[in-house]
Amino acid sequence: MTGTPSRSTAPASGPPTRRSDASRSAILAAARERFATDGYERATIRAIARDARIDPSMVMRYFGNKDGLFAAAVTLDLRMPDLSGVPRDEVGDALVGHFLTLWEANEELTAVLRVGVTNKAGAERLQGIFREQVVPVAQRVCPDPEQVWTRAGLCAAQLLGLALTRYVLRLPPVVELDRSEILAWLGPAVQRYLTAPSP
């Protein structure tokens, strides 16, 4: 009958706020998957909207542009370990082991790294993660408060370098290392950055 709304024009059920939250959640879930699969440059608003079964204009309405969507989608909790109960001479191993587990299990983190080396939005997101989550850990064990930023940066260089070569570039010599070998090589280096006297 002509007076009955079609499926495409019938109003959505539920309060507007609840529909909005559901739409945002669907977009973010689709964006995380698409960014992890395609990387920042190849992922498109249109593809993400299609995956989320949302009109592309809604993605722009909620997030402004792809940079805004990416920044919202990759809000990552690194679940940094509490080092207060770790012997001081084992914090390097503890951090390297923690990040190895994260890299192996979290494709979003690999996507952030991939984007971070080629795109301003990705670089800014990595910088924020470093500032908010890595620096406080270094602060707890660093012998000189004035060197916290430098020492945390050196740790990040070591850990991100490992991730870049192992999970993004997939350099065979690095990919072939097993967990115990990586801990043996990188643990002492990170330990030195965090706790050794300044050179």
Side-chain angles (χ1 to χ4, degrees):
M1 292 185 299
T2 57
T4 303
S6 68
R7 182 180 299 273
S8 61
T9 59
S13 60
T17 300
R18 188 174 301 170
R19 294 199 305 269
S20 174
D21 289 345
S23 296
R24 287 177 60 90
S25 296
I27 293 167
L28 288 173
R32 292 185 187 107
E33 180 67 25
R34 181 63 64 173
F35 284 132
T37 302
D38 293 349
Y40 180 88
E41 299 300 337
R42 291 173 53 203
T44 66
I45 293 291
R46 187 172 297 278
I48 291 166
R50 184 175 61 248
D51 294 344
R53 299 181 181 179
I54 296 284
D55 189 275
S57 65
M58 296 298 289
V59 179
M60 305 300 284
R61 174 184 169 187
Y62 288 129
F63 301 101
N65 54 33
K66 190 164 75 167
D67 286 357
L69 175 58
F70 180 82
V74 297
T75 302
L76 295 174
D77 180 3
L78 300 180
R79 302 186 300 279
M80 297 297 289
D82 179 5
L83 298 178
S84 59
V86 177
R88 186 176 178 80
D89 60 351
E90 296 178 14
V91 294
D93 276 356
L95 273 184
V96 174
H98 177 75
F99 272 92
L100 266 178
T101 299
L102 278 181
W103 292 118
E104 297 285 351
N106 194 329
E107 292 182 357
E108 287 178 41
L109 199 53
T110 304
V112 173
L113 179 61
R114 189 180 292 115
V115 171
V117 299
T118 60
N119 177 269
K120 182 180 178 181
E124 289 175 350
R125 191 70 205 110
L126 276 176
Q127 290 166 13
I129 291 169
F130 167 76
R131 182 173 57 253
E132 297 160 11
Q133 301 185 47
V134 178
V135 170
V137 173
Q139 198 166 21
R140 296 187 191 104
V141 296
C142 177
D144 185 346
E146 294 184 358
Q147 295 180 336
V148 167
W149 188 257
T150 297
R151 289 173 181 256
L154 290 169
C155 290
Q158 194 79 63
L159 294 166
L160 292 175
L162 169 68
L164 181 65
T165 54
R166 185 174 174 88
Y167 303 112
V168 178
L169 301 178
R170 299 195 62 79
L171 293 181
V174 183
V175 172
E176 291 165 7
L177 291 171
D178 64 29
R179 184 183 180 92
S180 63
E181 290 174 313
I182 292 172
L183 288 172
W185 282 106
L186 266 65
V190 172
Q191 180 74 38
R192 176 172 176 269
Y193 292 147
L194 286 173
T195 63
S198 179

